[in-house]
Amino acid sequence: MEFQRIDLDNWSRRSYFEHYLNRVNCTFSMTANIDITELLPALRQKGMKLYPAFLYMVTNVVNAHREFRTSFHADGELGYWESMIPSYTFFHQDDQTFSTMWTEFDDEFPVFYQNYVADMKQYGDNKGLVAKELEPPYTFPVSCIPWVSFSGFNLNITGDGRYLLPIITSGKYFEQEGKTLLPVSLQVHHAVCDGYHASLFINDLQKWATNYKEWLGVE
């Protein structure tokens, strides 16, 4: 996957980037409920799970906006990946631990879904933090907390403050006023994303959930 370097001297965002990276190092999170009222039964009808569908939708949103793919390369250069794939957590029921997995993405949902199923079958019983080794550098993190319907979620990341990629977390879906709602939290670094971009993410994710017939293959 190609990594495009950003020319800071000709980058319209340079002043914002330098301010929120070097002067006021700042991340922020936004949580919203995504309406999956029609999507969920459509997945159940096809015998498919919600989590891989969620991974598919968020990956499409991430790949639609350069701001969510901007990061530092291993060599320290700032830039963005042409496209990214999800690195996601999954739960081990027997010992209540979790592991991470990455799955190759495909624009066609049935193909991505089968990639997910194949990875879970091959690596799903592996314990430890990393279930599937050799994770490529062009991944972004996704996790799920399916036991609680939260109204806010925030990660406190210590270190040098140079982690720029979005961190996406879903919660337990719930019923409210006849709708099925899925809480989704997005955490971003203010150096590369503003409230506008976070709003784009939430609104685009809702569009994917609403327009499920276009990619799920149902009438």
Side-chain angles (χ1 to χ4, degrees):
M1 189 62 60
E2 189 171 352
F3 186 81
Q4 300 285 347
R5 265 63 178 180
I6 291 176
D7 180 3
L8 280 173
D9 292 334
N10 295 296
W11 190 29
S12 61
R13 191 175 176 81
R14 178 173 182 173
S15 61
Y16 305 93
F17 175 79
E18 292 180 340
H19 178 77
Y20 288 116
L21 186 72
N22 301 320
R23 298 183 186 90
V24 184
N25 198 292
C26 175
T27 66
F28 69 92
S29 62
M30 177 182 291
T31 301
N33 293 324
I34 302 300
D35 187 344
I36 58 168
T37 306
E38 296 185 9
L39 169 62
L40 189 60
L43 286 167
R44 288 172 174 168
Q45 185 178 4
K46 295 180 73 70
M48 291 178 161
K49 297 180 178 180
L50 176 61
Y51 194 33
F54 178 71
L55 296 172
Y56 176 79
M57 293 189 294
V58 298
T59 303
N60 273 288
V61 177
V62 166
N63 285 334
H65 302 283
R66 192 176 80 176
E67 291 80 10
F68 302 131
R69 292 177 278 113
T70 300
S71 64
F72 288 103
H73 196 272
D75 60 14
E77 289 288 323
L78 177 69
Y80 60 93
W81 294 101
E82 285 193 339
S83 64
M84 304 193 77
I85 64 176
S87 174
Y88 53 95
T89 61
F90 65 96
F91 190 66
H92 300 288
Q93 291 286 352
D94 57 349
D95 63 0
Q96 291 80 54
T97 62
F98 73 91
S99 300
T100 62
M101 180 92 75
W102 58 276
T103 291
E104 289 292 349
F105 188 69
D106 194 279
D107 291 336
E108 297 296 325
F109 176 65
V111 177
F112 173 72
Y113 192 91
Q114 290 306 312
N115 291 345
Y116 170 90
V117 170
D119 278 340
M120 289 302 300
K121 182 178 180 179
Q122 183 172 355
Y123 304 103
D125 291 331
N126 292 354
K127 297 296 178 64
L129 182 61
V130 178
K132 183 181 178 183
E133 301 286 348
L134 303 177
E135 181 174 315
Y138 47 89
T139 62
F140 65 94
V142 187
S143 61
C144 178
I145 306 177
W147 308 279
V148 63
S149 303
F150 53 74
S151 57
F153 182 81
N154 186 66
L155 289 164
N156 301 303
I157 301 175
T158 60
D160 61 6
R162 291 167 65 87
Y163 187 83
L164 303 180
L165 292 174
I167 303 174
I168 301 151
T169 308
S170 66
K172 179 182 179 180
Y173 61 81
F174 62 98
E175 303 295 326
Q176 181 176 289
E177 298 180 353
K179 295 182 178 180
T180 305
L181 303 176
L182 178 71
V184 176
S185 176
L186 169 73
Q187 182 150 322
V188 294
H189 201 299
H190 210 345
V192 294
C193 288
D194 303 324
Y196 169 74
H197 305 106
S199 300
L200 282 177
F201 180 92
I202 297 298
N203 291 334
D204 281 7
L205 184 59
Q206 182 59 70
K207 290 178 183 177
W208 278 94
T210 301
N211 299 327
Y212 67 93
K213 291 181 180 180
E214 298 177 5
W215 52 270
L216 187 55
V218 296
E219 297 297 331

